[in-house]
Every structure is written in C-alpha cells, then in structure tokens.
Amino acid sequence: MQSSFFLLSSLAALASLASSAAIEKRHMSAWPEAIRDYFSDVSHRVYELRATATSLTPSTCDMSSATMPSISGLPPPSQGLSIYHVGVGRGTQNYTCDPAQPSSTPTAIGALATLYNMTCLSAVAPGAFGRLTRSAILVPAPAPGQNLFPANAAVSGHHYFTAAAPTFNLHTQTANFGIDFAKVDTKVPAPSTAALGSDGSKAVPWLKLLVQDAPAGSLPADTLSGVKEIFRVNTAGGSAPTTCEGQPASFQKEYAAEYWFFA
C-alpha cells in the first residue's frame, strides 16, 4: 500500500496529541475509555502506514477507501454521487417546552453546531474516525475558532437553521466548501449502542437530507459545491427527555455527529 508524507504527517500529528498541553494536565489512564481507544487506534494506524509506506511523495487524500456507516432503514447515497466532504459536528440540539404542560413532549427547534474537517481522517484512519463522536461528546465543546479534541481538527463551517431549513455553511476564512440548505428525507433511530451524552441523553436519529433551494430572504446557496445529499450518522447524545416535566421553557442538549456530504 502506498502512503504519502502528507498522510503520515497528519496521523503522526494526531498521535502526538498525547503529549499536548491539554493531555499533560491529566494522565492518559484517567481519560474515559472512548478517548483512550481513539488514541490507541491512531497510534496503530501510524505504525501500519510507516511499516508499509513505499513512497513519501505528497499527495491528496484518496477517498476511495472511505465508507459511510450504514443502518437499516437509511437509504444509501444516490447512484452517481461521491464523497465531497466529511465533518464532525459538535454543538447542541435545541428544544422548547410548555411549563404548563409537563406531560407534553419537548419540541425540537433546530440545532447549532460547529463542523470540523475530517475528510482525510475518514479515509486514512477509519477506525479512529469511527470513535470520534463517542470521544468528542465526553469533553467540553471547543471554544470558537479552536480545533476539535481529540482529533485536533480544524473548523470547516457551521450548522444552524434558516427558516426551519437545516443549513450547512462551510465557508470560513481559510476554505470554502459551499453553503447548502437541506430538508429531511429519511429519519432512522440511532442504534441502541450509540453513545449517550455526558448528561445521559440518548443519541439523536440518523438522517438523510436532500439539498434544496435557499429559503426566501436568506443568503443564496453556494451551488458551486454541487452537493446533493447530506447524511447525519454516528450520532452521540442530543435527544430530549420524553416529557417536559422539570424542563425550562427552552433548553439544549449537547451532541456530536458525523456529517457526510455527497456531490
């Protein structure tokens, strides 16, 4: 198998996080199991690449080996589409309640999350990538502009809602992956093994979303990306309690999820 200096350097940087200032404050054995497993997978992958590399010529990521998680009931990407971008979202799912009706179900009013670029990691180290949402939900969300722990991944954009439309604004000062507005096509409950939030909240459903025109009065969609479908998978946390009992009029639940963009 061929590897590149770029990929090796990326993985080595991930493994070196074990000696970063953030981890020095707390011995690795004290970290939750999910985070320890993440670093273990990264170090094993670095070893494999170093052992089999036959070329150190810089190259771009080969996405042919990247595979999005699947679950029964969630349709696959449409024929002819390929991976355009992969990110991990870390933020909140937002809800409202009527305090006068404690037995009512909380109402979902959208989400607010920062997306972090994981495109290369999803292909080069799928084992570590698959553990990332389970790890990220266990530590506080990064401050604005900071990278995502434990992957040290840079910001690739933001996810929010525009006139009830899920919006993915992947336009930052360093890169432009487009702005897409979407609508839910298919919703499937997360598997029973999905990671809980730090407060015990269950994982939000997995989604297939279809890109649509921009809502009236909003920023125009950046169609240069050609994105047609977006998937939310491998979710962790974010679900509301079953009733509004004991809940304020509005509240948030922290979550993490993989977002796969297909064009």
Side-chain angles (χ1 to χ4, degrees):
M1 181 186 82
Q2 275 200 336
S3 183
S4 71
F5 178 75
F6 174 77
L7 299 182
L8 289 172
S9 299
S10 297
L11 289 171
L14 290 174
S16 71
L17 285 175
S19 61
S20 69
I23 295 179
E24 285 175 356
K25 295 179 180 178
R26 186 176 180 187
H27 194 272
M28 278 294 292
S29 63
W31 284 108
E33 181 179 2
I35 296 179
R36 298 199 306 270
D37 288 346
Y38 170 84
F39 284 111
S40 177
D41 277 351
V42 169
S43 62
H44 286 144
R45 188 64 178 131
V46 170
Y47 177 82
E48 290 173 352
L49 287 174
R50 285 174 174 166
T52 58
T54 58
S55 171
L56 292 181
T57 303
S59 68
T60 57
C61 296
D62 178 6
M63 297 303 296
S64 62
S65 60
T67 303
M68 184 181 71
S70 61
I71 189 173
S72 177
L74 190 70
S78 297
Q79 188 174 3
L81 298 182
S82 58
I83 297 171
Y84 170 75
H85 186 74
V86 182
V88 163
R90 182 68 174 87
T92 61
Q93 296 285 322
N94 305 324
Y95 302 92
T96 60
C97 271
D98 182 353
Q101 300 184 34
S103 61
S104 63
T105 302
T107 300
I109 58 171
L112 184 62
T114 301
L115 300 180
Y116 300 87
N117 192 344
M118 299 292 177
T119 307
C120 283
L121 184 65
S122 68
V124 180
F129 177 64
R131 297 180 185 274
L132 194 50
T133 55
R134 187 177 293 271
S135 300
I137 195 64
L138 297 177
V139 295
Q146 292 191 346
N147 291 359
L148 179 69
F149 180 84
N152 197 31
V155 173
S156 62
H158 298 87
H159 169 44
Y160 49 88
F161 276 61
T162 303
T167 304
F168 299 87
N169 187 338
L170 306 184
H171 190 181
T172 68
Q173 292 182 341
T174 58
N176 182 10
F177 297 104
I179 301 174
D180 295 300
F181 301 89
K183 60 180 179 181
V184 175
D185 175 74
T186 308
K187 178 188 295 187
V188 178
S192 59
T193 55
L196 303 178
S198 58
D199 63 352
S201 59
K202 294 182 178 180
V204 289
W206 294 23
L207 303 175
K208 177 178 182 178
L209 304 104
L210 305 179
V211 172
Q212 61 178 348
D213 293 336
S218 66
L219 291 172
D222 184 348
T223 57
L224 294 178
S225 68
V227 171
K228 302 297 183 183
E229 298 174 357
I230 303 169
F231 290 77
R232 184 181 78 185
V233 299
N234 223 358
T235 54
S239 287
T242 55
T243 71
C244 287
E245 185 174 0
Q247 300 298 322
S250 62
F251 62 96
Q252 302 172 329
K253 291 290 183 179
E254 294 199 12
Y255 87 108
E258 295 177 14
Y259 288 93
W260 294 68
F261 297 76
F262 288 84

